[in-house]
Amino acid sequence: MSTYDRRAAWRAALACMVTLAVAMGLGRFAFTPMLPVMLHEGKLDLQAGGVLASLNYLGYFLGALSCAAIRAKPAHMVRGGLVATAVLLLGMGLLQGFSAWGVLRTAAGVMSAWTFVFASGWGLRRLAETGAPALAGVIYTGPGIGIAATGLLGGALGRWGSEAGWIGFGLLSLVLIAAIWRIFGDGEHAHAGAPAPAAAPPSASASAAARSDARWLVGLYGLAGFGYIITATFLPVIARQALPGSPWPDFFWPLFGLAIVPGALIGARAPPHWDNRLLLAAAYALQAVGVVLSVAWPTIWGFGLGSLLLGMPFTAITLFAMRDARRLRGNAAAGLIGYATASYGVGQILGPLFAAPLAQRTGSFTVPLWVAAAVLTAGAFLFAMVWWRSARAKAVQMP
């Protein structure tokens, strides 16, 4: 039985927030503001940049799949993943060559997946123990804060070259890791020798309707991965093409990150009785509009509003998908969450591989962005369709 412990709850929430800022914002997405610098230096062309991005997302996919087989303590996985993330960031500045960068970005993807999964599990458990589950939204502001930091610092650090930028991100990660290191020892004694929770009894999730809903969730969650990742990978490049000579392109990426913060907090407070499929449909639709704005209105205002609409639902989509997996499978939802995460990862891998070669041949991201918006729109429509079909079936069954 949990008892409310305000200080311990906030320690856990803030530690996990910083963890996700390092693992996701820096370890995974620092590449976005550094790509224009590396392109300008001639170290990469656009197609090679797309391959490096996809290798990172491949690492995330493999890391997510492997989590179910790992039996290490969550705190150990989080600490190890954080240190590895900092080392890999430093390596991007200290080592040269596409092959070395490919290995580093793939490994960084694996570390970000491990750290995200195990920090989420550790943090949510600690919030339950301390009687403050509502602070979960604070944890998931971490990626947005990290993305905003990479965007604001990337342009400044990049003025000294990409090597200085990567090394700067690595050193910043080490400082943040040192600040939260001891917090992941909280609650260890309470779990020493604790029995494993009993397996959940079979539930109605075995029904054909629930199995169908689970398949739809896995498939449609992958559309979100594809739909946002083209903009998330190439936003500064896209904005610089549309606004040559303007100082504003460096600010759209941090604006995307800052928009994630209120989106995560609002999403975490969505009432439990609201249908997750409709919430996901609305979130997909918002992201689709955000992508369209960068194509249809390629101005400072269009990119600014588009960045906000793309960023706000970013973490909320993950929260709603996890919540729907728990609706379908209860305490046995880990497997379904793993499949959905893998589907999302496939979408992320395919996005840059599709967009970068096409943009390099045509000199524009217009077609890839329209395709991304269409994919998100299709996802929104299909989630609404699945909800409507389910609601109609329930109405027919009622006496």
Side-chain angles (χ1 to χ4, degrees):
M1 187 175 181
S2 63
T3 55
Y4 182 57
D5 185 339
R6 179 184 175 87
R7 182 173 180 275
W10 274 102
R11 276 170 60 88
L14 293 174
C16 289
M17 179 192 77
V18 173
T19 295
L20 298 191
V22 171
M24 308 291 286
L26 288 127
R28 191 163 168 222
F29 286 117
F31 185 71
T32 298
M34 295 309 300
L35 177 58
V37 181
M38 298 176 81
L39 291 172
H40 179 73
E41 292 172 341
K43 293 181 177 179
L44 293 172
D45 61 21
L46 197 55
Q47 190 164 346
V51 172
L52 285 182
S54 288
L55 285 173
N56 181 253
Y57 307 139
L58 173 63
Y60 187 82
F61 169 77
L62 296 174
L65 283 183
S66 66
C67 283
I70 295 174
R71 296 291 179 263
K73 289 183 178 180
H76 293 172
M77 290 298 298
V78 172
R79 285 169 167 164
L82 286 172
V83 171
T85 296
V87 170
L88 293 166
L89 286 168
L90 292 169
M92 286 294 294
L94 297 173
L95 302 178
Q96 296 297 315
F98 181 82
S99 297
W101 292 333
V103 172
L104 292 171
R105 294 310 295 156
T106 304
V110 175
M111 291 303 116
S112 65
W114 285 355
T115 308
F116 178 82
V117 170
F118 286 99
S120 294
W122 184 90
L124 294 175
R125 190 207 77 205
R126 283 294 295 157
L127 293 183
E129 290 171 352
T130 54
L135 291 182
V138 174
I139 292 176
Y140 293 105
T141 63
I145 292 170
I147 287 170
T150 63
L152 292 172
L153 295 174
L157 292 172
R159 293 191 179 95
W160 288 281
S162 58
E163 293 96 339
W166 286 112
I167 292 170
F169 284 136
L171 294 175
L172 174 61
S173 297
L174 289 173
V175 171
L176 294 173
I177 292 165
I180 61 172
W181 185 266
R182 293 183 63 185
I183 297 175
F184 287 98
D186 289 2
E188 279 189 356
H189 298 299
H191 291 271
S203 68
S205 64
S207 69
R211 288 196 299 270
S212 175
D213 281 357
R215 287 192 292 269
W216 277 109
L217 176 63
V218 171
L220 297 183
Y221 194 47
L223 299 185
F226 181 92
Y228 95 94
I229 200 61
I230 295 173
T231 306
T233 302
F234 300 110
L235 179 57
V237 177
I238 296 167
R240 288 183 185 193
Q241 286 181 352
L243 303 169
S246 170
W248 284 98
D250 287 337
F251 294 100
F252 298 131
W253 179 242
L255 184 61
F256 167 84
L258 290 174
I260 293 173
V261 175
L265 295 173
I266 294 168
R269 293 185 174 275
H273 63 274
W274 286 10
D275 194 281
N276 303 303
R277 293 160 295 187
L278 286 181
L279 291 169
L280 284 163
Y284 280 37
L286 282 176
Q287 286 202 320
V289 173
V291 174
V292 166
L293 283 173
S294 64
V295 184
W297 194 20
T299 65
I300 293 171
W301 289 104
F303 278 110
L305 185 56
S307 299
L308 288 173
L309 292 178
L310 191 71
M312 281 194 69
F314 177 66
T315 307
I317 285 173
T318 300
L319 290 171
F320 299 149
M322 289 183 177
R323 203 169 79 167
D324 205 47
R326 288 188 60 81
R327 174 184 70 85
L328 294 168
R329 298 287 172 84
N331 290 333
L336 179 55
I337 291 172
Y339 287 126
T341 303
S343 174
Y344 193 86
V346 170
Q348 292 183 131
I349 293 165
L350 295 177
L353 291 178
F354 163 74
L358 187 57
Q360 187 154 315
R361 284 199 302 271
T362 64
S364 169
F365 280 90
T366 298
V367 173
L369 289 172
W370 278 116
V371 171
V375 167
L376 286 166
T377 302
F381 172 79
L382 290 170
F383 265 125
M385 184 199 73
V386 172
W387 167 81
W388 178 80
R389 188 188 64 178
S390 174
R392 194 175 70 164
K394 287 180 180 178
V396 169
Q397 291 171 2
M398 288 178 66

PDB file of all heavy atoms in Angstrom, residues 20-51:
ATOM      1  N   LEU A  20      15.305  11.083 -19.373  1.00  0.00           N
ATOM      2  CA  LEU A  20      14.749  11.066 -20.725  1.00  0.00           C
ATOM      3  C   LEU A  20      15.253  12.253 -21.550  1.00  0.00           C
ATOM      4  O   LEU A  20      15.382  12.149 -22.773  1.00  0.00           O
ATOM      5  CB  LEU A  20      13.220  11.057 -20.676  1.00  0.00           C
ATOM      6  CG  LEU A  20      12.569   9.852 -19.992  1.00  0.00           C
ATOM      7  CD1 LEU A  20      11.064   9.830 -20.256  1.00  0.00           C
ATOM      8  CD2 LEU A  20      13.191   8.541 -20.458  1.00  0.00           C
ATOM      9  N   ALA A  21      15.553  13.370 -20.887  1.00  0.00           N
ATOM     10  CA  ALA A  21      16.143  14.502 -21.605  1.00  0.00           C
ATOM     11  C   ALA A  21      17.506  14.120 -22.176  1.00  0.00           C
ATOM     12  O   ALA A  21      17.849  14.474 -23.308  1.00  0.00           O
ATOM     13  CB  ALA A  21      16.270  15.706 -20.681  1.00  0.00           C
ATOM     14  N   VAL A  22      18.297  13.375 -21.389  1.00  0.00           N
ATOM     15  CA  VAL A  22      19.627  12.950 -21.850  1.00  0.00           C
ATOM     16  C   VAL A  22      19.498  11.850 -22.904  1.00  0.00           C
ATOM     17  O   VAL A  22      20.083  11.937 -23.995  1.00  0.00           O
ATOM     18  CB  VAL A  22      20.483  12.466 -20.664  1.00  0.00           C
ATOM     19  CG1 VAL A  22      21.776  11.820 -21.157  1.00  0.00           C
ATOM     20  CG2 VAL A  22      20.802  13.630 -19.731  1.00  0.00           C
ATOM     21  N   ALA A  23      18.742  10.798 -22.595  1.00  0.00           N
ATOM     22  CA  ALA A  23      18.682   9.630 -23.472  1.00  0.00           C
ATOM     23  C   ALA A  23      17.968   9.915 -24.789  1.00  0.00           C
ATOM     24  O   ALA A  23      18.397   9.447 -25.848  1.00  0.00           O
ATOM     25  CB  ALA A  23      17.987   8.470 -22.747  1.00  0.00           C
ATOM     26  N   MET A  24      16.869  10.680 -24.722  1.00  0.00           N
ATOM     27  CA  MET A  24      16.084  10.947 -25.926  1.00  0.00           C
ATOM     28  C   MET A  24      16.465  12.296 -26.550  1.00  0.00           C
ATOM     29  O   MET A  24      16.810  12.366 -27.729  1.00  0.00           O
ATOM     30  CB  MET A  24      14.595  10.940 -25.585  1.00  0.00           C
ATOM     31  CG  MET A  24      14.122   9.697 -24.844  1.00  0.00           C
ATOM     32  SD  MET A  24      14.153   8.216 -25.863  1.00  0.00           S
ATOM     33  CE  MET A  24      12.738   8.505 -26.908  1.00  0.00           C
ATOM     34  N   GLY A  25      16.407  13.353 -25.754  1.00  0.00           N
ATOM     35  CA  GLY A  25      16.654  14.682 -26.298  1.00  0.00           C
ATOM     36  C   GLY A  25      18.064  14.859 -26.816  1.00  0.00           C
ATOM     37  O   GLY A  25      18.278  15.402 -27.911  1.00  0.00           O
ATOM     38  N   LEU A  26      19.071  14.398 -26.041  1.00  0.00           N
ATOM     39  CA  LEU A  26      20.463  14.540 -26.454  1.00  0.00           C
ATOM     40  C   LEU A  26      20.955  13.305 -27.203  1.00  0.00           C
ATOM     41  O   LEU A  26      21.434  13.407 -28.333  1.00  0.00           O
ATOM     42  CB  LEU A  26      21.345  14.821 -25.237  1.00  0.00           C
ATOM     43  CG  LEU A  26      21.169  16.210 -24.650  1.00  0.00           C
ATOM     44  CD1 LEU A  26      20.883  16.140 -23.151  1.00  0.00           C
ATOM     45  CD2 LEU A  26      22.408  17.030 -24.874  1.00  0.00           C
ATOM     46  N   GLY A  27      20.827  12.132 -26.593  1.00  0.00           N
ATOM     47  CA  GLY A  27      21.377  10.932 -27.196  1.00  0.00           C
ATOM     48  C   GLY A  27      20.739  10.582 -28.523  1.00  0.00           C
ATOM     49  O   GLY A  27      21.410  10.097 -29.441  1.00  0.00           O
ATOM     50  N   ARG A  28      19.450  10.837 -28.655  1.00  0.00           N
ATOM     51  CA  ARG A  28      18.743  10.419 -29.851  1.00  0.00           C
ATOM     52  C   ARG A  28      18.535  11.556 -30.849  1.00  0.00           C
ATOM     53  O   ARG A  28      18.694  11.381 -32.047  1.00  0.00           O
ATOM     54  CB  ARG A  28      17.391   9.835 -29.441  1.00  0.00           C
ATOM     55  CG  ARG A  28      16.670   9.119 -30.552  1.00  0.00           C
ATOM     56  CD  ARG A  28      15.588   8.227 -29.977  1.00  0.00           C
ATOM     57  NE  ARG A  28      14.720   7.748 -31.033  1.00  0.00           N
ATOM     58  CZ  ARG A  28      13.399   7.667 -30.936  1.00  0.00           C
ATOM     59  NH1 ARG A  28      12.812   8.040 -29.824  1.00  0.00           N
ATOM     60  NH2 ARG A  28      12.678   7.203 -31.919  1.00  0.00           N
ATOM     61  N   PHE A  29      18.165  12.746 -30.367  1.00  0.00           N
ATOM     62  CA  PHE A  29      17.751  13.807 -31.274  1.00  0.00           C
ATOM     63  C   PHE A  29      18.755  14.945 -31.419  1.00  0.00           C
ATOM     64  O   PHE A  29      18.467  15.923 -32.119  1.00  0.00           O
ATOM     65  CB  PHE A  29      16.405  14.379 -30.822  1.00  0.00           C
ATOM     66  CG  PHE A  29      15.250  13.460 -31.107  1.00  0.00           C
ATOM     67  CD1 PHE A  29      14.495  12.931 -30.077  1.00  0.00           C
ATOM     68  CD2 PHE A  29      14.920  13.121 -32.407  1.00  0.00           C
ATOM     69  CE1 PHE A  29      13.426  12.082 -30.335  1.00  0.00           C
ATOM     70  CE2 PHE A  29      13.852  12.276 -32.688  1.00  0.00           C
ATOM     71  CZ  PHE A  29      13.104  11.758 -31.647  1.00  0.00           C
ATOM     72  N   ALA A  30      19.930  14.850 -30.806  1.00  0.00           N
ATOM     73  CA  ALA A  30      20.948  15.886 -31.043  1.00  0.00           C
ATOM     74  C   ALA A  30      21.373  15.900 -32.505  1.00  0.00           C
ATOM     75  O   ALA A  30      21.863  16.918 -33.010  1.00  0.00           O
ATOM     76  CB  ALA A  30      22.162  15.652 -30.147  1.00  0.00           C
ATOM     77  N   PHE A  31      21.175  14.790 -33.194  1.00  0.00           N
ATOM     78  CA  PHE A  31      21.554  14.702 -34.602  1.00  0.00           C
ATOM     79  C   PHE A  31      20.791  15.722 -35.454  1.00  0.00           C
ATOM     80  O   PHE A  31      21.316  16.224 -36.450  1.00  0.00           O
ATOM     81  CB  PHE A  31      21.295  13.284 -35.113  1.00  0.00           C
ATOM     82  CG  PHE A  31      21.761  13.040 -36.523  1.00  0.00           C
ATOM     83  CD1 PHE A  31      23.115  12.967 -36.815  1.00  0.00           C
ATOM     84  CD2 PHE A  31      20.858  12.887 -37.564  1.00  0.00           C
ATOM     85  CE1 PHE A  31      23.554  12.741 -38.114  1.00  0.00           C
ATOM     86  CE2 PHE A  31      21.277  12.667 -38.860  1.00  0.00           C
ATOM     87  CZ  PHE A  31      22.635  12.590 -39.141  1.00  0.00           C
ATOM     88  N   THR A  32      19.555  16.054 -35.063  1.00  0.00           N
ATOM     89  CA  THR A  32      18.743  16.965 -35.884  1.00  0.00           C
ATOM     90  C   THR A  32      19.377  18.353 -36.015  1.00  0.00           C
ATOM     91  O   THR A  32      19.542  18.843 -37.140  1.00  0.00           O
ATOM     92  CB  THR A  32      17.317  17.060 -35.321  1.00  0.00           C
ATOM     93  OG1 THR A  32      16.710  15.756 -35.378  1.00  0.00           O
ATOM     94  CG2 THR A  32      16.469  18.031 -36.110  1.00  0.00           C
ATOM     95  N   PRO A  33      19.761  19.027 -34.915  1.00  0.00           N
ATOM     96  CA  PRO A  33      20.413  20.332 -35.104  1.00  0.00           C
ATOM     97  C   PRO A  33      21.857  20.230 -35.587  1.00  0.00           C
ATOM     98  O   PRO A  33      22.391  21.210 -36.135  1.00  0.00           O
ATOM     99  CB  PRO A  33      20.348  20.961 -33.705  1.00  0.00           C
ATOM    100  CG  PRO A  33      20.279  19.812 -32.768  1.00  0.00           C
ATOM    101  CD  PRO A  33      19.487  18.760 -33.480  1.00  0.00           C
ATOM    102  N   MET A  34      22.500  19.063 -35.392  1.00  0.00           N
ATOM    103  CA  MET A  34      23.878  18.933 -35.851  1.00  0.00           C
ATOM    104  C   MET A  34      23.969  18.590 -37.331  1.00  0.00           C
ATOM    105  O   MET A  34      25.000  18.839 -37.970  1.00  0.00           O
ATOM    106  CB  MET A  34      24.613  17.855 -35.031  1.00  0.00           C
ATOM    107  CG  MET A  34      24.796  18.190 -33.559  1.00  0.00           C
ATOM    108  SD  MET A  34      25.508  19.834 -33.275  1.00  0.00           S
ATOM    109  CE  MET A  34      27.068  19.681 -34.123  1.00  0.00           C
ATOM    110  N   LEU A  35      22.891  18.035 -37.912  1.00  0.00           N
ATOM    111  CA  LEU A  35      22.937  17.649 -39.328  1.00  0.00           C
ATOM    112  C   LEU A  35      23.227  18.830 -40.247  1.00  0.00           C
ATOM    113  O   LEU A  35      24.087  18.712 -41.141  1.00  0.00           O
ATOM    114  CB  LEU A  35      21.633  16.950 -39.721  1.00  0.00           C
ATOM    115  CG  LEU A  35      21.501  16.543 -41.193  1.00  0.00           C
ATOM    116  CD1 LEU A  35      22.637  15.603 -41.599  1.00  0.00           C
ATOM    117  CD2 LEU A  35      20.143  15.884 -41.455  1.00  0.00           C
ATOM    118  N   PRO A  36      22.550  19.995 -40.101  1.00  0.00           N
ATOM    119  CA  PRO A  36      22.890  21.112 -40.995  1.00  0.00           C
ATOM    120  C   PRO A  36      24.354  21.545 -40.887  1.00  0.00           C
ATOM    121  O   PRO A  36      24.960  21.944 -41.886  1.00  0.00           O
ATOM    122  CB  PRO A  36      21.955  22.240 -40.528  1.00  0.00           C
ATOM    123  CG  PRO A  36      20.843  21.561 -39.821  1.00  0.00           C
ATOM    124  CD  PRO A  36      21.443  20.343 -39.192  1.00  0.00           C
ATOM    125  N   VAL A  37      24.918  21.455 -39.687  1.00  0.00           N
ATOM    126  CA  VAL A  37      26.325  21.821 -39.501  1.00  0.00           C
ATOM    127  C   VAL A  37      27.220  20.846 -40.264  1.00  0.00           C
ATOM    128  O   VAL A  37      28.157  21.256 -40.975  1.00  0.00           O
ATOM    129  CB  VAL A  37      26.688  21.825 -38.003  1.00  0.00           C
ATOM    130  CG1 VAL A  37      28.147  22.223 -37.803  1.00  0.00           C
ATOM    131  CG2 VAL A  37      25.769  22.762 -37.227  1.00  0.00           C
ATOM    132  N   MET A  38      26.933  19.548 -40.146  1.00  0.00           N
ATOM    133  CA  MET A  38      27.743  18.534 -40.830  1.00  0.00           C
ATOM    134  C   MET A  38      27.563  18.612 -42.343  1.00  0.00           C
ATOM    135  O   MET A  38      28.508  18.360 -43.096  1.00  0.00           O
ATOM    136  CB  MET A  38      27.392  17.151 -40.292  1.00  0.00           C
ATOM    137  CG  MET A  38      27.687  16.997 -38.801  1.00  0.00           C
ATOM    138  SD  MET A  38      27.181  15.404 -38.100  1.00  0.00           S
ATOM    139  CE  MET A  38      28.564  14.362 -38.594  1.00  0.00           C
ATOM    140  N   LEU A  39      26.352  18.966 -42.798  1.00  0.00           N
ATOM    141  CA  LEU A  39      26.137  19.174 -44.235  1.00  0.00           C
ATOM    142  C   LEU A  39      26.954  20.362 -44.726  1.00  0.00           C
ATOM    143  O   LEU A  39      27.601  20.308 -45.784  1.00  0.00           O
ATOM    144  CB  LEU A  39      24.653  19.406 -44.521  1.00  0.00           C
ATOM    145  CG  LEU A  39      23.697  18.224 -44.332  1.00  0.00           C
ATOM    146  CD1 LEU A  39      22.245  18.687 -44.473  1.00  0.00           C
ATOM    147  CD2 LEU A  39      23.996  17.117 -45.331  1.00  0.00           C
ATOM    148  N   HIS A  40      26.948  21.454 -43.964  1.00  0.00           N
ATOM    149  CA  HIS A  40      27.686  22.670 -44.344  1.00  0.00           C
ATOM    150  C   HIS A  40      29.193  22.403 -44.389  1.00  0.00           C
ATOM    151  O   HIS A  40      29.901  22.942 -45.257  1.00  0.00           O
ATOM    152  CB  HIS A  40      27.375  23.789 -43.352  1.00  0.00           C
ATOM    153  CG  HIS A  40      28.103  25.066 -43.632  1.00  0.00           C
ATOM    154  ND1 HIS A  40      27.776  25.893 -44.694  1.00  0.00           N
ATOM    155  CD2 HIS A  40      29.167  25.654 -43.006  1.00  0.00           C
ATOM    156  CE1 HIS A  40      28.601  26.931 -44.704  1.00  0.00           C
ATOM    157  NE2 HIS A  40      29.447  26.816 -43.693  1.00  0.00           N
ATOM    158  N   GLU A  41      29.681  21.567 -43.477  1.00  0.00           N
ATOM    159  CA  GLU A  41      31.110  21.243 -43.441  1.00  0.00           C
ATOM    160  C   GLU A  41      31.513  20.264 -44.531  1.00  0.00           C
ATOM    161  O   GLU A  41      32.712  20.025 -44.737  1.00  0.00           O
ATOM    162  CB  GLU A  41      31.470  20.652 -42.079  1.00  0.00           C
ATOM    163  CG  GLU A  41      31.375  21.643 -40.926  1.00  0.00           C
ATOM    164  CD  GLU A  41      31.557  20.982 -39.566  1.00  0.00           C
ATOM    165  OE1 GLU A  41      31.402  19.736 -39.473  1.00  0.00           O
ATOM    166  OE2 GLU A  41      31.854  21.703 -38.597  1.00  0.00           O
ATOM    167  N   GLY A  42      30.525  19.674 -45.221  1.00  0.00           N
ATOM    168  CA  GLY A  42      30.826  18.706 -46.266  1.00  0.00           C
ATOM    169  C   GLY A  42      31.153  17.322 -45.751  1.00  0.00           C
ATOM    170  O   GLY A  42      31.643  16.469 -46.504  1.00  0.00           O
ATOM    171  N   LYS A  43      30.871  17.068 -44.479  1.00  0.00           N
ATOM    172  CA  LYS A  43      31.163  15.748 -43.913  1.00  0.00           C
ATOM    173  C   LYS A  43      30.109  14.719 -44.293  1.00  0.00           C
ATOM    174  O   LYS A  43      30.362  13.514 -44.230  1.00  0.00           O
ATOM    175  CB  LYS A  43      31.256  15.848 -42.386  1.00  0.00           C
ATOM    176  CG  LYS A  43      32.444  16.662 -41.916  1.00  0.00           C
ATOM    177  CD  LYS A  43      32.519  16.710 -40.402  1.00  0.00           C
ATOM    178  CE  LYS A  43      33.768  17.467 -39.960  1.00  0.00           C
ATOM    179  NZ  LYS A  43      33.864  17.553 -38.489  1.00  0.00           N
ATOM    180  N   LEU A  44      28.923  15.196 -44.643  1.00  0.00           N
ATOM    181  CA  LEU A  44      27.824  14.333 -45.044  1.00  0.00           C
ATOM    182  C   LEU A  44      27.090  14.980 -46.204  1.00  0.00           C
ATOM    183  O   LEU A  44      27.120  16.198 -46.353  1.00  0.00           O
ATOM    184  CB  LEU A  44      26.825  14.138 -43.894  1.00  0.00           C
ATOM    185  CG  LEU A  44      27.248  13.372 -42.643  1.00  0.00           C
ATOM    186  CD1 LEU A  44      26.155  13.505 -41.584  1.00  0.00           C
ATOM    187  CD2 LEU A  44      27.494  11.908 -42.959  1.00  0.00           C
ATOM    188  N   ASP A  45      26.433  14.155 -47.028  1.00  0.00           N
ATOM    189  CA  ASP A  45      25.409  14.692 -47.901  1.00  0.00           C
ATOM    190  C   ASP A  45      24.059  14.288 -47.324  1.00  0.00           C
ATOM    191  O   ASP A  45      23.985  13.574 -46.318  1.00  0.00           O
ATOM    192  CB  ASP A  45      25.579  14.219 -49.355  1.00  0.00           C
ATOM    193  CG  ASP A  45      25.490  12.702 -49.514  1.00  0.00           C
ATOM    194  OD1 ASP A  45      24.918  12.026 -48.625  1.00  0.00           O
ATOM    195  OD2 ASP A  45      25.979  12.187 -50.529  1.00  0.00           O
ATOM    196  N   LEU A  46      22.983  14.760 -47.940  1.00  0.00           N
ATOM    197  CA  LEU A  46      21.657  14.556 -47.372  1.00  0.00           C
ATOM    198  C   LEU A  46      21.296  13.083 -47.283  1.00  0.00           C
ATOM    199  O   LEU A  46      20.705  12.624 -46.295  1.00  0.00           O
ATOM    200  CB  LEU A  46      20.620  15.315 -48.197  1.00  0.00           C
ATOM    201  CG  LEU A  46      19.262  15.553 -47.555  1.00  0.00           C
ATOM    202  CD1 LEU A  46      19.409  16.260 -46.210  1.00  0.00           C
ATOM    203  CD2 LEU A  46      18.388  16.386 -48.490  1.00  0.00           C
ATOM    204  N   GLN A  47      21.662  12.313 -48.307  1.00  0.00           N
ATOM    205  CA  GLN A  47      21.322  10.892 -48.295  1.00  0.00           C
ATOM    206  C   GLN A  47      22.066  10.163 -47.186  1.00  0.00           C
ATOM    207  O   GLN A  47      21.489   9.315 -46.492  1.00  0.00           O
ATOM    208  CB  GLN A  47      21.638  10.269 -49.650  1.00  0.00           C
ATOM    209  CG  GLN A  47      21.098   8.844 -49.804  1.00  0.00           C
ATOM    210  CD  GLN A  47      21.065   8.396 -51.253  1.00  0.00           C
ATOM    211  OE1 GLN A  47      21.204   9.211 -52.164  1.00  0.00           O
ATOM    212  NE2 GLN A  47      20.862   7.120 -51.471  1.00  0.00           N
ATOM    213  N   ALA A  48      23.352  10.474 -46.993  1.00  0.00           N
ATOM    214  CA  ALA A  48      24.118   9.852 -45.915  1.00  0.00           C
ATOM    215  C   ALA A  48      23.549  10.251 -44.557  1.00  0.00           C
ATOM    216  O   ALA A  48      23.495   9.425 -43.628  1.00  0.00           O
ATOM    217  CB  ALA A  48      25.589  10.258 -46.013  1.00  0.00           C
ATOM    218  N   GLY A  49      23.103  11.507 -44.436  1.00  0.00           N
ATOM    219  CA  GLY A  49      22.470  11.931 -43.195  1.00  0.00           C
ATOM    220  C   GLY A  49      21.210  11.144 -42.909  1.00  0.00           C
ATOM    221  O   GLY A  49      20.938  10.763 -41.763  1.00  0.00           O
ATOM    222  N   GLY A  50      20.423  10.873 -43.960  1.00  0.00           N
ATOM    223  CA  GLY A  50      19.218  10.065 -43.787  1.00  0.00           C
ATOM    224  C   GLY A  50      19.541   8.652 -43.337  1.00  0.00           C
ATOM    225  O   GLY A  50      18.832   8.074 -42.504  1.00  0.00           O
ATOM    226  N   VAL A  51      20.628   8.088 -43.871  1.00  0.00           N
ATOM    227  CA  VAL A  51      21.027   6.729 -43.461  1.00  0.00           C
ATOM    228  C   VAL A  51      21.448   6.712 -41.997  1.00  0.00           C
ATOM    229  O   VAL A  51      21.069   5.813 -41.232  1.00  0.00           O
ATOM    230  CB  VAL A  51      22.170   6.213 -44.365  1.00  0.00           C
ATOM    231  CG1 VAL A  51      22.727   4.893 -43.821  1.00  0.00           C
ATOM    232  CG2 VAL A  51      21.679   6.019 -45.796  1.00  0.00           C
TER     233      VAL A  51
END
